[in-house]
Amino acid sequence: MNWSKVKTIAIVVFAVLVLFLTVKYLNLLPKEESLTDKQIKTAQNILVQNSIKLSCTIDKKIYYVSKLNVKTESAYDNVLTKLFGKRVDKYQKEFESSIYHLKIINQTLFLESKYSQDPFELFDINKSDYIRDYDGSYIQVYKGYPIFDGKLKIQKQKNTTLYIFTKVIPQGFELKRSRAISALEAIFNLLNQQKNIKEIQNIKFGYYLKDFNVIQGQAVPVWRIVADGEVYYINGFTGMLE
């Protein structure tokens, strides 16, 4: 057997394999792509011609993303233990103490407190995991992406403070990434499916779990669009209303 020839063939095969794996890996990485100023200007002109006001800036980035695996089960166990002691009945939906009154409705906590408190300390969450939203509330963030289902809102009432809190537990992204539609594509997809919109007030890219009552599932990439005071979620892959 010609060992020199075998060695050469093995080296070539190994090099080809490395090249194949490198190309495959690079295809999984997000590409650098963005909208141009000309594209945005053209879109703005079309909106004006159709009497639609654009009251926000357009995110130019084209996102290459995947679905996000999430859990909702046990998201609030530590909160209930901290505020009310050990939770005896896992299916209990209402709790009361001398300070707090709490209801759980569709995986959302409605907590009334006699005192105003730091919400991040109250719920034992990191402030760095949240960003301010357009309406003054806070949105949960995972690896730089907003999770629109995870939200913290504070409402001052006459004698109490109401905290409205939802939380998801991210489990990591799927490996393969795909191109999401642009912000402009999302806007025009919305206008095609929802007639008589007069003003686009806010648009932001993130993740949305359509059925929040599942124990675990997948949040899909979406463009959240606020139009005429209503909130819409456009699927980042299909362009359809969620």
Side-chain angles (χ1 to χ4, degrees), residues 13-209:
V13 170
F14 179 74
V16 171
L17 180 61
V18 169
L19 179 61
F20 171 77
L21 292 176
T22 300
V23 170
K24 188 174 179 63
Y25 173 73
L26 289 175
N27 283 335
L28 295 174
L29 294 178
K31 299 174 176 61
E32 290 295 329
E33 189 180 346
S34 61
L35 295 170
T36 65
D37 291 336
K38 183 178 180 181
Q39 287 173 316
I40 294 174
K41 186 65 176 176
T42 299
Q44 288 174 329
N45 290 336
I46 294 173
L47 292 175
V48 168
Q49 290 167 14
N50 287 274
S51 302
I52 299 171
K53 184 179 179 182
L54 183 64
S55 303
C56 59
T57 57
I58 295 296
D59 186 346
K60 292 183 177 182
K61 185 174 180 179
I62 305 296
Y63 293 88
Y64 281 78
V65 289
S66 58
K67 293 180 180 179
L68 173 63
N69 297 314
V70 299
K71 290 175 61 178
T72 60
E73 187 180 38
S74 305
Y76 308 124
D77 282 0
N78 63 325
V79 175
L80 295 169
T81 300
K82 175 184 176 182
L83 300 182
F84 301 97
K86 186 177 180 181
R87 187 176 182 182
V88 178
D89 181 1
K90 69 179 294 184
Y91 299 106
Q92 188 175 346
K93 299 297 182 183
E94 191 165 1
F95 304 82
E96 183 118 31
S97 72
S98 58
I99 300 175
Y100 305 111
H101 178 242
L102 182 146
K103 285 185 179 180
I104 303 175
I105 302 173
N106 295 330
Q107 296 285 11
T108 299
L109 301 189
F110 293 83
L111 178 67
E112 283 186 85
S113 172
K114 291 183 178 181
Y115 307 102
S116 293
Q117 297 173 254
D118 180 338
F120 299 98
E121 183 180 317
L122 181 64
F123 294 109
D124 280 332
I125 52 179
N126 296 321
K127 195 169 185 177
S128 58
D129 292 335
Y130 287 77
I131 58 170
R132 276 274 189 178
D133 203 2
Y134 73 98
D135 61 358
S137 60
Y138 296 91
I139 303 179
Q140 190 176 344
V141 174
Y142 178 69
K143 295 188 181 299
Y145 292 102
I147 305 175
F148 296 120
D149 308 271
K151 198 164 187 177
L152 172 60
K153 193 171 184 178
I154 304 157
Q155 294 179 350
K156 297 290 184 180
Q157 301 184 142
K158 187 175 181 181
N159 297 315
T160 61
T161 302
L162 175 63
Y163 302 89
I164 304 171
F165 180 55
T166 55
K167 182 182 179 182
V168 297
I169 306 173
Q171 301 294 295
F173 296 105
E174 286 187 336
L175 184 59
K176 185 178 180 180
R177 303 186 184 192
S178 302
R179 182 192 186 278
I181 63 175
S182 70
L184 293 181
E185 290 173 283
I187 288 173
F188 286 108
N189 271 298
L190 173 63
L191 295 176
N192 284 332
Q193 297 172 71
Q194 193 71 28
K195 305 301 182 183
N196 301 318
I197 286 177
K198 299 300 181 184
E199 182 179 7
I200 304 295
Q201 297 159 309
N202 186 272
I203 180 166
K204 195 170 187 66
F205 188 81
Y207 280 83
Y208 174 62
L209 182 63

Side-chain angles (χ1 to χ4, degrees), residues 70-73 107 211-217:
V70 299
K71 290 175 61 178
T72 60
E73 187 180 38
Q107 296 285 11
D211 185 1
F212 194 69
N213 287 313
V214 298
I215 293 174
Q216 61 183 30

Side-chain angles (χ1 to χ4, degrees), residues 1-12:
M1 182 179 288
N2 189 334
W3 289 107
S4 178
K5 186 176 181 180
V6 171
K7 184 179 179 181
T8 301
I9 293 173
I11 291 172
V12 171

